[in-house]
Each structure stands twice: as structure tokens, then as C-alpha cells.
Amino acid sequence: MKEMSEFDADSILDDEVFIELFEMEDPILRSKTKVQLTRRAKQLGVKSDFEEIMKGYYQADREMKRQEQENRTVCTVDNYTNFTGPHDRMYCGAWIADDRGVFAQNSGRVDEVACYHPILPVERLRNLETGEEQIKLAYKRNNQWQDIVVPKTMITSANKIVALSGRGISVTSENAKLLVKYLADVENGNDDYIDVQYSTSKLGWINDQFIPYDTDIIFDGDNRFKQAFESVSDHGSFDVWLRHVRELRASGRMEVKFLLAASFSSVLVQVLGGLPFFVDLWGETEGGKTVSLMVAASVWANPDESRYIGNFKTTDVALESKADMLNHLPMFLDDTSTVSARIRDNFEGIVYDLCSGKGKSRSNKELGINRENRWRNVMICNGERPLSSYVNQGGAINRILEVECGEKIYQDPQKTAETVKKNYGHAGKEFVEIIKELGEDEIRSIQKEFQKQLLDTDKMQKQSISLSIVLTADKIATDYIFKDGQYISVEEAKKVLIDRNELSDNERCYHFIQDKVAMNGHRFDAMTNCEKWGIVENGYAIFYNSAFDQICKDGGFSKKSFLSWAAKKGIIQQDSKGNHTKQKKIDGKNSRCVFLQLNPEENVDDDGFASIDETQEELPFQ
């Protein structure tokens, strides 16, 4: 086969092209070549002619294989299935298969029933990621043909095949062995005739191909996500969508541009070797958060409710499975306030797990290990509260880029919602083609330049890397798709980054303890009758050890980690042995106490409390 660029509108329709294509023995090479030829035919404006000729050659190829099968086998009509309906006759050897069912025959005498109704394998599905096969069975009940796709291992075991009785197939422990043998005979006797259909349970990059754009494949994953998988398609007019989104971007609203860039950036995470991260749009109700999510989702898929956009009213396992299915496409989750109780109790763990890009290892019934869920994408969510308010640990916050939603992003939110519901999926497809043409080196060069501009010792590096990927997507989409010059500026983008000191768990713990002391002065004086935490003396809050334990626990902080950090900062007193607690006599009793300096280098008033300079935002030792 010559190079694709050498074909013109006439030569690509020559018989030699199709003959060479159908003579390829490797089915994967044949499929790839077919895709490349179809693309070239589209470029040359003869795609419909090419596909029509391809259809004729495909029918001729199947008929030729059928004739070869008949010439190889001396048989009578009884050696073939004789089911009325849409399926062609298939060689079945020593079985009688007609509308009465499937029977084993011995010396021409029917003696055993394999199935009481027509059934046969019609297609093999081979998963592109794992290589595992499933089988599509066609069966007829109540004069109607139905299809079912099951794992190949189910129809090769008499113990497992009985589970198909729940789907309406007449199989019991008595006839299971015969049905297994019949299906195996039909499949193996028609190996050249039964099509191999490539399938996948994941979207996004597979080698140099992007699912679902580059390959004619079908979905074989969890049925819960089949609707979301199928929603990734193009619909309506690209020009209508592009014109409307350009108008939104021209308003200068950061929220629209940032969420669009985040949506595009999801397919760059794998290309640039980044880690998954969250983009969170938060703000008061009626601001336009949900519509913004719909606009961003319309880049790839149908943004209508219950289609592509999900929510937090689910389980951690379901979120993990959906992330695995989306793979490199963004996962949209609407309204963080609607989280289920199971997720609310472990929100921090959910953020860590989704941003790790890898699911938990789980065993199966055979005591083996199931395939691990993996993904490299961007999670985009919204809510009235920042996502960081649901988590405490800095490591989780470090994986979130937060954008505050101002008032009334859209002049006519209903018009925007209706426009993106009727026109969607074109921009993502176009963006993937642009990424392929630019190549990994060029994209990485753009990202590195943004990362250099974002480099700041006071900002967190993980956040800066994630933001550089978003800005890379924004630049590419602006240059090649929108062509409107509405870039997100680096200075504007830096506003979403968190200062290193704000993110430090120990820094936040220190401010938390300071606030506790300020709000609970009565727990440090001798006059009020209440539970005491200690005393305040010479600018130090001197805590009973057990009281300090409880305060750290209430705030979700590690006491051990904080005291180690505080000792390095010099804001706690240590004893001669270097212990983080010291002996102190309070109310006539000696106790081991934590001596914590409240406000370093500030003046102390007559009551022993440090006077707070309300204009000071950062501590001198930071």
C-alpha cells in the first residue's frame, strides 16, 4: 500500500486498493489502513463513493468465504442452522438447529435437547485495552430476535452458562454441557465468517488513536455508564456553537474561559505526563455555575441532564469506575453540596483517590485480581462552597484549582443552555486532530514556557503544573479553534494558585489554635468555672497535654507533625532533653504542658495576652 498522500480522488477508488486491503491477514493492520483510507477519501471529497465501494467488496468477501466453507465441507442442509430471521445460515456440524431449537443427533435420531429455541454466536468482541474477548449471542424467544453480549468465559463453562437463564435463555444444569458444546462448534466452525468487532470500556488515547473518533468500536463496559459513553459524539452545528461561545468569551469573564480551557486540557494530561486534578467553580446560587459546566461539557459530549454530566450522589466505587471509563476525557460533577453520606464522610479520600489516577486493587470471585482502574484526566465540579472547604489536608487542597464564580455570568443563561444542548461535540473532535498535528514535542514546549512563567517559590508546584496544562490548552484552543485572541493571561491565572504558607497543614494548624485561644479566653483564666485548657502567660498559651491533643484532633491535624514543625520554627519551648512538652505548675499541680508562642515578636499586654496587629497578615517567621 502506497503512502496516503500519494492517493488522489481517482486512484483511491481503484480496485487494487480494495483488493490489497482485503488480502491483509492482520485484522488490526487492516482496520488501521481502512481508517487511514477513509480519512484520505474524506479529504479528497470522495468519502461516500469510497464507503459504497467498500460495502460491495465487504459483501463479496463474505460470500467468497461462505463458498470456501461450503467447498471444504461435504454437508447437507442439516449441517447448517436453519433459523428464520435476519441471521445468515451458519455451519453447525452434527447439530440440528431450526426454529424448534437446537438438538444433538446420533445416527440421524434426535435424542437430546441443547436449547429449546434458536440461538447462535454472531459476533466476537475483542477489548482494545486488555485483549479479552466477549461474545454476542443472538437468540429467538416469543418470535422475536434479541442480542446479548457476555464474557467469552461464560459460554465455555457449563457452570457459568446457566446464569444466562436470567436473561431469558432456556439453559439449565441438565442441558448446559450440550449448549456449551453447540456454541463452541458453531463458533469454531465459522471462524472466518463470524466478525471480530473491536470494543472498549474506555475513552481517550489508546496508542496513537483516540476513542471514539478514530475507530469503529462498540462499548463493552459497565452498563451504568453506557449512556455517558454514547453521549460523546457530535451533534448539531459546529458554527452555531462556535459563534455563541465566542460571544461568551468576548465578555471577558474568567469563569467561562477557564472552564473551557480545563475541559480541553483533560486530553493533554496524558500527553504531558501530568497527574489528574480538580477544577472547582464555586459561588452563590444563580451565578451561572451549572450553565458554565454545560458549556464546558459541550466541547466533548451532550451536556443535557443525566447524559454526560454526573453528580456526587453516588459511591466512591462508582466515581472510580466512571473515571476509568472516561479515561482521558474530563469528568463533570454538578453541585458538591449534594454529596451522598458515604462520600461526605470521606471527601478528602475521594479527592486523593481521583487525583491519584489509579483505583484500588480488588479481588474477584476466582480469588484473582481484577483489572485496576486507571485514568489521567481533569475533574470539573461546582458548588456554593469551595471544594477545599470539604477537605483539611494540604495534599488534597494542592490538587484543586478553584475559580470563584461572580454574579450573572450570562445575560441569557437559558439561551446558552439551549444552544449547547443542541450543538455539541465538534470542538473536542477538532481539538484532538490539532493535538495530533502539533505533536507531543510542540505541546510540551508550550507547557514548559507557561510553567516557567508560573514558577514562584511562594506557590505550590503541583498546582502550578496543573495550571500550566490548562493554559496550554487555552492557548491551543484560542489559536486554532476560537481564533479570537481571548487568552487567559498568566497574571489572571495566578489568582487561582494557593500560597505555600496557606496550604501548609502545620501553618493552618497554628492559625486554628490561635483562633481557639482567642475565642476561648475563659478556658485560660482562673475566675470562670468551666473546663480549663491551661493558662496564658508572657505571650505563650500553655496547654495541658490532653487539652492540646483534643484541639488538634478537633481540627483534623497531626499533633506530632505540628509540634515538630513548631520546634523548627522556634515557637514552642522545649525542655533540656529536647521534648516538645515541659513541666508547669498550674493551680498548685505540676503537669506536662505545651508552651506555644501566640504571636511571635509582638508586644504582650498587662493581662498576659499578646496584642494583635490587625493589619498584619503574615507571621514574621514565614
Side-chain angles (χ1 to χ4, degrees):
M1 187 74 67
K2 59 185 181 181
E3 294 294 327
M4 294 296 147
S5 58
E6 298 179 13
F7 286 109
D8 57 26
D10 293 324
S11 62
I12 201 170
L13 302 178
D14 288 345
D15 290 340
E16 290 79 4
V17 175
F18 297 94
I19 292 172
E20 185 175 351
L21 178 65
F22 279 87
E23 285 180 347
M24 292 180 178
E25 295 183 359
D26 185 346
I28 296 178
L29 177 60
R30 187 191 309 144
S31 295
K32 286 185 176 180
T33 306
K34 176 186 172 183
V35 169
Q36 293 170 349
L37 288 168
T38 304
R39 285 185 191 164
R40 181 58 178 165
K42 181 179 180 181
Q43 293 173 351
L44 297 170
V46 293
K47 182 182 177 183
S48 59
D49 294 338
F50 180 85
E51 289 179 339
E52 185 65 26
I53 297 174
M54 176 72 74
K55 182 178 179 181
Y57 269 90
Y58 181 69
Q59 292 174 345
D61 182 65
R62 292 182 63 166
E63 183 60 31
M64 182 180 67
K65 289 179 178 177
R66 176 187 293 282
Q67 292 295 329
E68 290 176 353
Q69 178 68 41
E70 291 178 351
N71 292 336
R72 287 197 305 265
T73 309
V74 178
C75 60
T76 65
V77 70
D78 290 335
N79 295 116
Y80 279 82
T81 59
N82 289 283
F83 303 133
T84 57
H87 301 287
D88 295 334
R89 291 168 55 221
M90 300 177 73
Y91 179 71
C92 61
W95 296 90
I96 295 177
D98 55 30
D99 287 340
R100 297 173 302 159
V102 179
F103 308 91
Q105 62 176 344
N106 184 12
S107 300
R109 177 172 53 84
V110 175
D111 54 4
E112 290 183 288
V113 179
C115 193
Y116 288 97
H117 55 77
I119 184 170
L120 73 166
V122 293
E123 195 171 62
R124 289 162 53 202
L125 284 70
R126 182 174 298 160
N127 189 279
L128 286 170
E129 298 90 45
T130 65
E132 295 179 357
E133 285 197 1
Q134 299 193 76
I135 197 84
K136 179 188 283 188
L137 299 177
Y139 63 100
K140 187 178 182 182
R141 295 300 303 268
N142 301 323
N143 294 319
Q144 290 187 336
W145 281 96
Q146 302 177 57
D147 292 338
I148 181 175
V149 176
V150 297
K152 184 74 172 291
T153 54
M154 180 173 284
I155 68 164
T156 57
S157 167
N159 291 330
K160 294 180 180 180
I161 200 171
V162 293
L164 295 180
S165 61
R167 298 295 297 270
I169 294 176
S170 294
V171 55
T172 68
S173 57
E174 297 297 323
N175 68 331
K177 288 185 178 181
L178 285 174
L179 184 55
V180 167
K181 189 174 189 313
Y182 160 74
L183 293 174
D185 287 348
V186 174
E187 182 189 350
N188 293 318
N190 298 271
D191 193 56
D192 293 334
Y193 177 69
I194 296 178
D195 293 332
V196 177
Q197 169 70 58
Y198 288 97
S199 65
T200 183
S201 57
K202 297 168 77 71
L203 291 161
W205 300 106
I206 296 180
N207 298 324
D208 60 343
Q209 298 188 17
F210 194 92
I211 309 301
Y213 303 139
D214 291 339
T215 318
D216 295 327
I217 63 170
I218 63 175
F219 180 67
D220 68 355
D222 195 321
N223 282 329
R224 291 176 297 173
F225 309 125
K226 185 175 183 180
Q227 187 168 263
F229 186 97
E230 292 175 346
S231 72
V232 181
S233 59
D234 51 357
H235 179 78
S237 169
F238 188 19
D239 289 336
V240 171
W241 182 90
L242 196 58
R243 189 161 52 249
H244 187 76
V245 174
R246 279 174 178 160
E247 292 175 3
L248 299 178
R249 287 164 56 87
S251 69
R253 294 301 294 261
M254 167 76 162
E255 301 93 330
V256 177
K257 293 192 290 185
F258 200 91
L259 257 68
L260 280 167
S263 185
F264 282 116
S265 73
S266 188
V267 298
L268 296 182
V269 176
Q270 170 72 12
V271 176
L272 296 172
L275 290 172
F277 58 91
F278 271 88
V279 171
D280 177 40
L281 180 67
W282 68 276
E284 294 295 327
T285 186
E286 301 296 330
K289 299 185 298 297
T290 298
V291 176
S292 297
L293 224 62
M294 293 173 66
V295 172
S298 69
V299 168
W300 303 101
N302 184 351
D304 205 351
E305 293 180 4
S306 303
R307 297 293 295 178
Y308 188 76
I309 298 176
N311 55 50
F312 285 98
K313 291 187 287 187
T314 182
T315 65
D316 54 346
V317 176
L319 283 177
E320 179 186 305
S321 298
K322 186 171 184 179
D324 176 72
M325 182 273 291
L326 293 173
N327 197 20
H328 302 128
L329 263 64
M331 180 161 70
F332 290 88
L333 298 167
D334 188 27
D335 197 354
T336 53
S337 65
T338 61
V339 296
S340 64
R342 292 182 62 180
I343 290 182
R344 187 183 300 109
D345 294 340
N346 186 34
F347 213 139
E348 201 157 47
I350 297 297
V351 172
Y352 269 119
D353 289 345
L354 289 177
C355 292
S356 71
K358 178 183 175 183
K360 299 175 183 176
S361 298
R362 295 181 175 91
S363 61
N364 52 38
K365 293 180 180 179
E366 287 74 33
L367 301 182
I369 301 297
N370 287 330
R371 177 182 68 85
E372 284 187 340
N373 292 329
R374 292 181 179 272
W375 57 90
R376 287 284 185 93
N377 64 350
V378 177
M379 277 66 67
I380 303 175
C381 62
N382 65 10
E384 294 188 11
R385 292 168 51 191
L387 186 59
S388 59
S389 67
Y390 295 92
V391 297
N392 294 315
Q393 300 301 316
I397 299 173
N398 198 14
R399 291 161 169 79
I400 304 170
L401 297 178
E402 291 182 341
V403 179
E404 185 174 2
C405 179
E407 295 182 357
K408 294 184 178 180
I409 300 176
Y410 306 95
Q411 294 296 323
D412 189 348
Q414 186 173 356
K415 177 184 177 182
T416 296
E418 290 301 318
T419 300
V420 298
K421 285 180 182 179
K422 295 176 181 177
N423 309 277
Y424 56 80
H426 303 278
K429 193 172 185 178
E430 182 75 14
F431 190 76
V432 168
E433 291 302 317
I434 294 167
I435 295 305
K436 291 179 180 178
E437 292 177 11
L438 286 176
E440 182 179 325
D441 292 341
E442 176 65 21
I443 298 168
R444 193 176 296 280
S445 174
I446 297 172
Q447 185 259 336
K448 289 295 183 185
E449 180 59 33
F450 278 121
Q451 192 173 338
K452 188 185 302 181
Q453 295 179 51
L454 293 170
L455 186 63
D456 190 330
T457 56
D458 292 331
K459 304 296 183 181
M460 297 305 294
Q461 186 177 8
K462 284 183 181 178
Q463 279 199 324
S464 298
I465 293 173
S466 299
L467 183 57
S468 70
I469 296 175
V470 174
L471 291 178
T472 299
D474 177 68
K475 175 175 173 55
I476 295 172
T478 302
D479 286 345
Y480 294 93
I481 295 179
F482 299 114
K483 301 176 182 177
D484 57 1
Q486 293 289 333
Y487 302 98
I488 300 172
S489 70
V490 174
E491 291 306 314
E492 192 175 23
K494 278 185 176 181
K495 295 177 182 178
V496 308
L497 297 176
I498 297 176
D499 286 339
R500 189 180 299 274
N501 288 332
E502 291 179 31
L503 194 59
S504 165
D505 280 344
N506 295 317
E507 186 74 34
R508 292 189 300 115
C509 179
Y510 185 50
H511 291 303
F512 176 79
I513 295 171
Q514 285 178 310
D515 290 342
K516 282 291 186 181
V517 173
M519 293 187 298
N520 294 274
H522 59 286
R523 297 190 183 277
F524 296 90
D525 65 55
M527 305 298 295
T528 309
N529 184 22
C530 65
E531 179 189 82
K532 301 300 180 184
W533 289 352
I535 61 172
V536 174
E537 186 176 274
N538 299 324
Y540 281 86
I542 304 172
F543 292 91
Y544 294 121
N545 203 17
S546 59
F548 194 82
D549 282 345
Q550 189 60 46
I551 291 172
C552 289
K553 184 177 180 181
D554 290 345
F557 300 105
S558 167
K559 173 189 174 184
K560 181 178 180 180
S561 175
F562 172 74
L563 291 179
S564 176
W565 172 86
K568 294 174 184 175
K569 293 291 186 181
I571 58 174
I572 63 169
Q573 293 184 16
Q574 298 173 274
D575 65 12
S576 58
K577 296 181 180 179
N579 294 318
H580 296 153
T581 58
K582 293 175 59 178
Q583 288 285 347
K584 176 66 176 178
K585 182 177 286 188
I586 302 177
D587 292 334
K589 297 180 181 179
N590 278 325
S591 302
R592 297 292 297 185
C593 297
V594 176
F595 286 66
L596 179 66
Q597 192 173 6
L598 287 173
N599 292 281
E601 300 181 12
E602 291 187 354
N603 296 325
V604 178
D605 62 23
D606 295 336
D607 296 326
F609 283 88
S611 59
I612 300 175
D613 180 2
E614 294 181 353
T615 64
Q616 182 177 343
E617 296 182 354
E618 295 185 355
L619 297 173
F621 59 81
Q622 293 177 355

